[in-house]
Amino acid sequence: MIKPKRLKQGSKIAIISPSNGLPYLFPGIYELGLKNLKELIGFDIVEMPTARMSPDELYKNPRLRAEDINNAFADDSIDGIIASIGGYESVRILQYLDTDRIMKNPKFIMGFSDATTFLAYMSYLGMVTFYGPSVMAGLAQLKSLPL
């Protein structure tokens, strides 16, 4: 198994929207998730170009969604990748993923719901992936969860 390096305070995290454009529709929840990642966990955030794209534009551009993932893996300054939210039809991005680039630059990558598609694909290729909260579902609610 190919393991990513451990994240720590100050790690730079790329935010992707591989499935749905809910940050566009519900910016308040999205912003709360980003704020929690910064203030409660101590991550530096890099929003990838499609992170806030409208649902219609995201749907029409599976290649752009995949390019965000490819570019996040290629960027040596980025330590990890977290999905903004789940959704549907991320299966359409698989054909555009640069698996050679991804496997040569393993990073922490996490999401849930529809992210299972590409997380399972990367796991099948041998990389450790994380099924867990997204920016809008889980991370935005951190202060509301019991300790």
Side-chain angles (χ1 to χ4, degrees), residues 16-21 50 55 58-67 69-70 83-98 102 109-122 131:
I16 58 172
S17 289
S19 303
N20 204 326
T50 63
L58 277 176
Y59 181 80
K60 293 175 190 173
N61 292 291
R63 183 183 301 264
L64 290 179
R65 291 181 276 151
E67 285 177 11
I69 295 171
N70 294 334
S84 64
I85 193 70
Y88 60 93
E89 65 80 38
S90 72
V91 69
R92 295 176 57 225
I93 70 173
L94 296 182
Q95 66 182 321
Y96 303 114
L97 292 177
D98 185 342
I102 290 168
I109 185 166
M110 181 172 71
F112 81 108
S113 183
D114 190 52
T116 305
T117 304
F118 59 87
L119 294 175
Y121 181 52
M122 291 175 191
Y131 185 88

Coordinates of all heavy atoms in Angstrom, one line a residue, residues 16-21 50 55 58-67 69-70 83-98 102 109-122 131:
I16 N -11.7 20.3 -3.3 CA -12.2 19.9 -4.6 C -13.7 19.7 -4.6 O -14.3 19.4 -3.5 CB -11.5 18.6 -5.1 CG1 -11.8 17.4 -4.2 CG2 -10.0 18.8 -5.4 CD1 -11.3 16.1 -4.7
S17 N -14.4 19.9 -5.7 CA -15.8 19.6 -5.8 C -15.9 18.6 -7.0 O -16.3 18.9 -8.1 CB -16.6 20.8 -6.1 OG -16.7 21.6 -4.9
P18 N -15.6 17.3 -6.7 CA -15.7 16.3 -7.8 C -17.0 15.8 -8.2 O -17.2 15.1 -9.2 CB -14.8 15.2 -7.2 CG -15.1 15.3 -5.7 CD -15.2 16.8 -5.4
S19 N -18.1 16.1 -7.4 CA -19.4 15.5 -7.6 C -20.5 16.5 -7.7 O -21.4 16.4 -8.6 CB -19.7 14.6 -6.4 OG -18.8 13.6 -6.3
N20 N -20.5 17.6 -6.9 CA -21.6 18.5 -6.9 C -21.2 19.9 -6.6 O -20.2 20.1 -5.8 CB -22.7 18.0 -5.9 CG -24.1 18.5 -6.2 OD1 -24.3 19.6 -6.7 ND2 -25.1 17.6 -5.9
G21 N -21.9 20.9 -7.0 CA -21.6 22.3 -6.8 C -22.4 22.9 -5.7 O -22.8 24.1 -5.8
T50 N -12.5 24.5 -9.6 CA -13.9 24.2 -9.6 C -14.6 24.1 -8.3 O -15.8 23.7 -8.2 CB -14.1 22.8 -10.4 OG1 -13.4 21.8 -9.6 CG2 -13.5 22.8 -11.8
P55 N -23.5 23.9 -10.0 CA -23.8 22.5 -10.3 C -23.9 22.2 -11.8 O -23.4 21.2 -12.2 CB -25.1 22.3 -9.6 CG -25.1 23.2 -8.5 CD -24.4 24.5 -9.0
L58 N -20.3 22.2 -13.3 CA -19.6 21.0 -12.9 C -20.0 19.8 -13.6 O -19.2 19.0 -14.1 CB -19.8 20.8 -11.4 CG -18.9 21.6 -10.4 CD1 -19.2 21.3 -9.0 CD2 -17.4 21.3 -10.7
Y59 N -21.3 19.7 -13.8 CA -21.9 18.5 -14.5 C -21.4 18.5 -15.9 O -21.0 17.4 -16.4 CB -23.4 18.5 -14.5 CG -24.0 17.3 -15.2 CD1 -24.0 16.1 -14.5 CD2 -24.4 17.4 -16.5 CE1 -24.5 15.0 -15.2 CE2 -24.9 16.3 -17.1 CZ -25.0 15.1 -16.5 OH -25.4 14.0 -17.1
K60 N -21.3 19.6 -16.5 CA -20.9 19.7 -18.0 C -19.4 19.5 -18.1 O -18.9 19.3 -19.3 CB -21.2 21.1 -18.5 CG -22.7 21.3 -18.7 CD -23.0 22.7 -19.2 CE -24.5 23.1 -19.1 NZ -24.7 24.5 -19.4
N61 N -18.6 19.5 -17.1 CA -17.2 19.5 -17.2 C -16.5 18.5 -16.3 O -15.7 18.8 -15.4 CB -16.6 20.9 -16.8 CG -17.0 21.9 -17.9 OD1 -16.5 21.9 -19.0 ND2 -17.9 22.8 -17.5
P62 N -16.7 17.2 -16.5 CA -16.0 16.2 -15.7 C -14.5 16.3 -15.8 O -13.8 16.0 -14.9 CB -16.6 14.9 -16.2 CG -17.1 15.2 -17.6 CD -17.6 16.6 -17.6
R63 N -14.0 16.7 -17.0 CA -12.6 16.8 -17.2 C -12.0 17.8 -16.3 O -10.9 17.6 -15.7 CB -12.2 17.1 -18.6 CG -10.7 17.1 -18.9 CD -10.4 17.6 -20.3 NE -11.0 16.7 -21.3 CZ -10.3 15.6 -21.9 NH1 -9.1 15.4 -21.6 NH2 -10.9 14.9 -22.8
L64 N -12.7 19.0 -16.1 CA -12.2 20.0 -15.2 C -12.1 19.5 -13.7 O -11.2 19.8 -13.0 CB -13.0 21.3 -15.3 CG -13.0 22.1 -16.6 CD1 -13.9 23.3 -16.5 CD2 -11.6 22.5 -16.8
R65 N -13.1 18.8 -13.3 CA -13.1 18.2 -12.0 C -12.0 17.3 -11.8 O -11.3 17.3 -10.7 CB -14.5 17.5 -11.7 CG -15.6 18.4 -11.6 CD -16.9 17.7 -11.3 NE -17.5 17.2 -12.6 CZ -18.2 16.1 -12.7 NH1 -18.5 15.4 -11.6 NH2 -18.7 15.8 -13.8
A66 N -11.7 16.4 -12.8 CA -10.5 15.5 -12.7 C -9.2 16.3 -12.7 O -8.3 15.9 -12.0 CB -10.6 14.5 -13.8
E67 N -9.1 17.4 -13.5 CA -7.9 18.2 -13.5 C -7.6 18.8 -12.2 O -6.4 18.9 -11.8 CB -8.0 19.3 -14.6 CG -7.9 18.7 -16.0 CD -8.1 19.8 -17.1 OE1 -8.1 21.0 -16.8 OE2 -8.2 19.4 -18.3
I69 N -8.2 17.4 -9.3 CA -7.5 16.3 -8.6 C -6.1 16.1 -9.1 O -5.2 16.0 -8.3 CB -8.4 15.0 -8.7 CG1 -9.7 15.2 -8.0 CG2 -7.7 13.8 -8.0 CD1 -10.7 14.1 -8.2
N70 N -5.9 15.9 -10.4 CA -4.6 15.7 -10.9 C -3.6 16.8 -10.5 O -2.5 16.6 -10.1 CB -4.7 15.7 -12.5 CG -5.4 14.5 -13.0 OD1 -5.5 13.4 -12.3 ND2 -6.0 14.6 -14.2
A83 N -12.8 16.7 -0.2 CA -14.0 17.0 -1.1 C -14.9 18.0 -0.4 O -15.0 17.9 0.9 CB -14.8 15.7 -1.4
S84 N -15.5 18.9 -1.1 CA -16.4 19.9 -0.5 C -17.7 19.2 0.0 O -18.2 19.6 1.0 CB -16.7 21.0 -1.5 OG -17.4 20.5 -2.6
I85 N -18.1 18.2 -0.8 CA -19.4 17.5 -0.5 C -19.4 16.3 -1.3 O -18.6 16.1 -2.3 CB -20.6 18.5 -0.8 CG1 -21.9 18.0 -0.2 CG2 -20.7 18.8 -2.2 CD1 -22.0 18.0 1.3
G86 N -20.4 15.4 -1.1 CA -20.6 14.3 -1.9 C -21.4 14.7 -3.2 O -21.3 15.8 -3.7
G87 N -22.3 13.8 -3.6 CA -23.1 14.2 -4.8 C -23.5 12.9 -5.6 O -23.8 11.9 -5.0
Y88 N -23.2 13.0 -6.9 CA -23.5 11.9 -7.8 C -22.6 12.0 -9.0 O -22.1 13.1 -9.3 CB -25.0 11.9 -8.1 CG -25.4 13.2 -8.8 CD1 -25.4 13.3 -10.2 CD2 -25.8 14.3 -8.1 CE1 -25.8 14.4 -10.9 CE2 -26.2 15.5 -8.8 CZ -26.2 15.5 -10.1 OH -26.5 16.7 -10.8
E89 N -22.5 11.0 -9.7 CA -21.8 10.8 -11.0 C -20.3 11.2 -11.0 O -19.8 11.5 -12.1 CB -22.6 11.5 -12.1 CG -22.8 13.0 -12.1 CD -21.7 13.8 -12.6 OE1 -21.0 13.4 -13.6 OE2 -21.4 14.9 -12.0
S90 N -19.6 11.1 -9.9 CA -18.1 11.3 -10.1 C -17.5 10.2 -10.9 O -16.3 10.3 -11.3 CB -17.5 11.4 -8.7 OG -17.4 10.2 -8.0
V91 N -18.2 9.1 -11.2 CA -17.7 8.1 -12.0 C -17.3 8.7 -13.4 O -16.4 8.1 -14.0 CB -18.8 6.9 -12.2 CG1 -20.0 7.4 -13.0 CG2 -18.1 5.7 -12.8
R92 N -17.9 9.8 -13.8 CA -17.5 10.4 -15.1 C -16.1 11.0 -15.1 O -15.6 11.3 -16.1 CB -18.6 11.5 -15.4 CG -20.0 10.8 -15.7 CD -21.0 11.9 -15.9 NE -20.7 12.7 -17.1 CZ -20.9 14.1 -17.0 NH1 -21.3 14.7 -16.0 NH2 -20.5 14.8 -18.1
I93 N -15.5 11.2 -13.9 CA -14.2 11.8 -13.9 C -13.1 10.8 -14.0 O -11.9 11.1 -14.3 CB -14.0 12.7 -12.6 CG1 -13.9 11.8 -11.4 CG2 -15.0 13.8 -12.5 CD1 -13.5 12.6 -10.1
L94 N -13.4 9.5 -13.7 CA -12.3 8.5 -13.7 C -11.5 8.4 -14.9 O -10.3 8.3 -14.8 CB -13.0 7.1 -13.4 CG -13.6 6.9 -12.0 CD1 -14.1 5.5 -11.9 CD2 -12.7 7.3 -10.9
Q95 N -12.1 8.5 -16.1 CA -11.3 8.4 -17.3 C -10.3 9.5 -17.5 O -9.4 9.4 -18.3 CB -12.3 8.3 -18.5 CG -13.1 9.6 -18.7 CD -14.1 9.5 -19.9 OE1 -13.7 8.9 -20.9 NE2 -15.3 10.0 -19.7
Y96 N -10.5 10.6 -16.8 CA -9.6 11.8 -16.9 C -8.5 11.9 -15.8 O -7.7 12.8 -15.8 CB -10.4 13.1 -16.9 CG -11.5 13.1 -18.0 CD1 -12.8 13.1 -17.7 CD2 -11.1 13.1 -19.3 CE1 -13.8 13.2 -18.7 CE2 -12.1 13.1 -20.3 CZ -13.4 13.2 -20.0 OH -14.4 13.2 -21.0
L97 N -8.6 11.0 -14.9 CA -7.6 11.0 -13.8 C -6.2 10.5 -14.3 O -6.2 9.5 -15.0 CB -8.0 10.1 -12.6 CG -9.2 10.6 -11.8 CD1 -9.6 9.6 -10.7 CD2 -9.0 12.0 -11.2
D98 N -5.2 11.2 -14.0 CA -3.8 10.9 -14.4 C -3.3 10.0 -13.3 O -2.6 10.4 -12.3 CB -3.0 12.1 -14.5 CG -1.6 11.9 -15.0 OD1 -1.1 10.7 -15.0 OD2 -0.9 12.8 -15.5
I102 N -0.9 10.6 -9.9 CA -1.5 10.4 -8.6 C -0.6 9.4 -7.8 O -0.3 9.7 -6.6 CB -2.9 10.0 -8.7 CG1 -3.8 11.1 -9.3 CG2 -3.5 9.4 -7.4 CD1 -5.2 10.7 -9.7
I109 N -6.2 11.9 0.9 CA -7.4 12.4 0.2 C -8.7 11.8 0.9 O -8.7 10.6 1.2 CB -7.4 11.9 -1.3 CG1 -8.6 12.5 -2.1 CG2 -7.2 10.5 -1.5 CD1 -8.5 12.4 -3.6
M110 N -9.7 12.6 1.1 CA -10.8 12.2 1.9 C -12.1 12.8 1.3 O -12.1 13.9 0.8 CB -10.7 12.7 3.3 CG -11.8 12.3 4.2 SD -11.5 12.7 6.0 CE -11.6 14.5 6.0
G111 N -13.1 12.0 1.4 CA -14.5 12.4 1.0 C -15.4 11.3 1.4 O -15.0 10.3 2.1
F112 N -16.7 11.5 1.1 CA -17.7 10.4 1.4 C -18.7 10.4 0.3 O -18.6 11.2 -0.7 CB -18.3 10.7 2.8 CG -19.4 11.7 2.7 CD1 -20.7 11.3 2.9 CD2 -19.1 13.1 2.5 CE1 -21.8 12.3 2.8 CE2 -20.1 14.0 2.5 CZ -21.5 13.6 2.6
S113 N -19.7 9.6 0.4 CA -20.8 9.5 -0.5 C -20.2 9.2 -1.9 O -19.5 8.2 -2.1 CB -21.6 10.8 -0.5 OG -22.7 10.7 -1.4
D114 N -20.5 10.1 -2.9 CA -20.0 9.8 -4.3 C -18.5 9.8 -4.4 O -18.0 9.2 -5.3 CB -20.6 10.9 -5.2 CG -20.4 10.6 -6.6 OD1 -20.8 9.5 -7.0 OD2 -19.9 11.4 -7.3
A115 N -17.8 10.4 -3.5 CA -16.3 10.3 -3.5 C -15.8 8.8 -3.4 O -14.7 8.5 -3.8 CB -15.7 11.1 -2.4
T116 N -16.7 8.0 -2.9 CA -16.3 6.5 -2.9 C -15.8 6.0 -4.2 O -14.9 5.2 -4.3 CB -17.5 5.7 -2.4 OG1 -18.0 6.3 -1.1 CG2 -17.2 4.3 -2.2
T117 N -16.4 6.5 -5.3 CA -16.0 6.1 -6.6 C -14.5 6.2 -6.9 O -13.8 5.3 -7.2 CB -16.8 6.8 -7.7 OG1 -18.2 6.7 -7.5 CG2 -16.5 6.3 -9.1
F118 N -14.0 7.5 -6.7 CA -12.6 7.7 -7.0 C -11.7 7.2 -5.8 O -10.6 6.8 -6.1 CB -12.3 9.1 -7.5 CG -12.6 10.2 -6.5 CD1 -11.8 10.6 -5.5 CD2 -13.9 10.8 -6.6 CE1 -12.1 11.6 -4.6 CE2 -14.2 11.9 -5.8 CZ -13.3 12.2 -4.8
L119 N -12.2 7.3 -4.6 CA -11.4 6.8 -3.5 C -11.2 5.3 -3.6 O -10.1 4.8 -3.4 CB -12.1 7.1 -2.1 CG -12.3 8.5 -1.7 CD1 -13.1 8.6 -0.5 CD2 -10.9 9.2 -1.6
A120 N -12.2 4.5 -4.0 CA -12.1 3.1 -4.2 C -11.1 2.8 -5.4 O -10.3 1.8 -5.3 CB -13.4 2.4 -4.4
Y121 N -11.2 3.6 -6.4 CA -10.4 3.4 -7.6 C -8.9 3.6 -7.2 O -8.0 2.8 -7.5 CB -10.8 4.4 -8.7 CG -10.0 4.3 -9.9 CD1 -9.8 3.1 -10.6 CD2 -9.4 5.5 -10.5 CE1 -9.1 3.0 -11.8 CE2 -8.7 5.4 -11.7 CZ -8.5 4.2 -12.3 OH -7.8 4.1 -13.5
M122 N -8.6 4.7 -6.4 CA -7.2 4.9 -6.0 C -6.8 3.8 -5.0 O -5.6 3.4 -5.1 CB -7.1 6.3 -5.3 CG -7.3 7.4 -6.3 SD -7.3 9.0 -5.4 CE -7.8 10.1 -6.8
Y131 N -12.2 7.5 3.8 CA -13.7 7.8 3.7 C -14.1 8.5 4.9 O -14.0 8.0 6.0 CB -14.4 6.4 3.6 CG -15.9 6.6 3.3 CD1 -16.4 6.7 2.0 CD2 -16.8 6.7 4.4 CE1 -17.7 6.9 1.8 CE2 -18.2 6.8 4.1 CZ -18.6 7.0 2.8 OH -20.0 7.1 2.6

